[in-house]
């Protein structure tokens, strides 16, 4: 609390405290402005809010500032690798944590606790919590002025009721800007998806799936519920046969077979899972592994349907052949596409609407702007294909760019100072393989570098052990590794928690 002692000793504060009631609003207002590091140029801030509205540009005597938009795999790996002796770091994101997405499906059914897959940004980059020039801002970026080196932001508030705090706008100046805002779930323009389906990309999505699943189980046991309604309430439909959809279906089938059938005996025969995919499930995996996954899911009670969803209603979906599929829980996992924010930026675009980048992950049309993760893609002029939206791609890009920016800082990291800097080798991505769990202590491990290449591929219990071991070591902190290991052991011994909290 040394800063508070120094603040109280300042002449302006001491005179203010002597002349007024120390608990008056005027005192608190003055104390705020003395201690605030931000300049005050806000336009129409919320009533009662007196925060500064801009973080001005750095001076030559200060460390250059990196602004990172996003807290996903790419942004967090970059934050972890940045040398904070060379840079001040500002992260702008609507969430203050990173989600370990490979294990997110396990939280929906109680195999893991939600906190086990969420890593606070302050633990990934401690300078954000400790250094005077580094910050985390809970906000969305609404625009970028590349000429002035400024990002326009809008604060994120609860917005859940009439008395909640209204959002306000502010600006942050940057010397280097890294766009790592990710992508959004693809709906392909299908009517009703956003209104009725649940995506599986955030912890809040997993929490909503869990609440809906347990609510439907309890509602189905109430007197007066018909058999038809029970079948609808307990029909879980998953759209999308990629790794996320398959892993969630496997987790759900395990939950049904090991927990629901024991604790909801009255309705155990009504609950079932359907996985809908337009083509083949796990299309990027080896053919032998795809067949194994199909057989294993079928044995676990998952019904596989090949079809295209044309319309989504509140209680049923309609396929392209006219088939109506009633549901109580609908999980949408069909891949990702460019977000409205990315589409709004006037940068050259790569195929698929992503922000176009060169071999060094720069946005070549502007100075000091880089882009990594699911929102980026190589421009056609580079001759490189657009990389898949995978966590390992984003992580590898974040690690590469952190090293590149650290080298740039040694030659001067301030704005417009990298014209003659040697950037070194360009970014090269080598695929390390893919893994997916299919339930019942079975998994797939495909170590080929591409669909056409040859390589090791495994399926079964050994693959499941490799899958769990690999993800346990990839969890960001030892704290969360401990949580995950304890959760797995607890589930194995006592079963999954079915409390609806």
């Amino acid at each position: 609390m040394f800063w508070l002692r120094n603040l109280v000793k300042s002449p302006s504060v001491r005179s203010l405290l002597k002349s007024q009631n120390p608990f008056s609003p005027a005192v608190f207002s003055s104390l705020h402005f003395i201690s605030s590091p931000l300049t005050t140029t806000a336009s129409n801030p919320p009533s009662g809010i007196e925060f500064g509205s801009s973080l001005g540009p750095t001076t030559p005597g200060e460390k250059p500032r990196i602004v990172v938009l996003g807290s996903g795999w790419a942004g967090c790996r970059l934050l972890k690798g940045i040398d904070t002796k060379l840079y001040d770091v500002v992260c702008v994101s609507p969430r203050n944590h990173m989600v370990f997405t490979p294990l997110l499906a396990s939280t929906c059914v109680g195999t893991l606790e939600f906190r086990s897959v969420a890593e606070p940004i302050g633990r990934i980059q401690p300078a954000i919590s400790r250094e005077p020039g580094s910050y985390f801002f809970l906000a969305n970026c609404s625009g970028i002025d590349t000429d002035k080196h400024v990002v326009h932001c809008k604060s994120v508030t609860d917005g859940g009721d009439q008395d909640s705090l209204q959002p306000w706008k502010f600006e942050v100046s940057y010397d280097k800007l890294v766009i790592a805002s990710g992508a959004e779930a693809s709906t392909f323009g299908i009517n009703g998806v956003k209104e009725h389906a649940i995506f599986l990309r955030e912890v809040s999505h997993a929490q909503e799936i869990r609440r809906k699943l347990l609510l439907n189980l309890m509602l189905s046991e109430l007197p007066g519920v018909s058999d038809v309604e029970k079948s609808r309430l307990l029909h879980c439909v998953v759209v999308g046969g990629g790794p996320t959809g398959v892993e969630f279906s496997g987790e759900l089938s395990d939950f049904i077979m090991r927990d629901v059938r024991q604790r909801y005996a009255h309705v155990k025969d009504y609950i079932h899972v359907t996985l809908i995919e337009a083509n083949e499930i796990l299309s990027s995996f080896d053919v032998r592994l795809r067949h194994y996954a199909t057989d294993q899911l079928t044995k676990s009670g998952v019904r596989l349907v090949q079809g295209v969803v044309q319309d989504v209603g509140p209680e049923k979906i309609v396929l392209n052949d006219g088939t109506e599929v009633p549901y109580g829980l609908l999980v949408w996992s069909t891949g990702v596409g460019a977000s409205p924010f990315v589409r709004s930026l006037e940068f050259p675009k790569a195929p698929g609407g992503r922000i176009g980048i060169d071999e060094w992950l720069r946005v070549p049309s502007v100075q000091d702007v880089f882009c990594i993760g699911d929102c980026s893609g190589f421009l056609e002029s580079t001759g490189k294909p657009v990389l898949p939206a995978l966590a390992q791609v984003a992580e590898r890009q974040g690690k590469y760019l952190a090293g590149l920016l650290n080298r740039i800082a040694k030659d001067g990291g301030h704005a417009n100072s990298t014209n003659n800097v040697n950037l070194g080798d360009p970014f090269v991505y080598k695929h390390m393989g893919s893994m997916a769990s299919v339930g019942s202590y079975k998994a797939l491990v495909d170590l080929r570098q591409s669909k056409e290449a040859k390589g090791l591929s495994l399926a079964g219990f050994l693959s499941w052990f490799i899958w769990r071991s690999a993800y346990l070591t990839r969890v960001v902190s030892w704290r969360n590794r401990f949580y995950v290991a304890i959760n797995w052991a607890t589930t194995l011994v006592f079963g999954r928690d079915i409390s609806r909290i």
Side-chain angles (χ1 to χ4, degrees), residues 104-105 108 183-188 190 192-210 237-239 244 248 312 329-336:
L104 188 59
C108 300
E184 68 172 11
S186 296
T187 64
F188 305 103
I190 299 172
V193 174
K194 291 185 177 180
E195 292 80 7
H196 306 299
I198 305 175
F199 305 107
L200 187 52
R201 296 179 55 78
E202 304 286 348
V203 172
S204 60
H205 297 156
Q207 291 171 329
E208 186 178 359
I209 290 170
R210 178 172 173 79
V237 176
V238 182
V239 179
T244 301
F248 176 70
V312 177
L329 173 67
L330 177 61
V331 176
W332 196 269
S333 177
T334 58
V336 296

Side-chain angles (χ1 to χ4, degrees), residues 11-55:
S12 58
V13 175
R14 293 182 66 180
S15 62
L16 187 65
L17 291 173
K18 288 180 181 179
S19 62
Q20 299 192 42
N21 179 355
F23 297 102
S24 68
V27 172
F28 281 107
S29 176
S30 300
L31 286 174
H32 167 77
F33 282 114
I34 292 172
S35 60
S36 174
L38 306 177
T39 59
T40 308
T41 59
S43 58
N44 300 321
S47 177
I49 302 298
E50 297 180 348
F51 294 104
S53 67
S54 67
L55 194 60

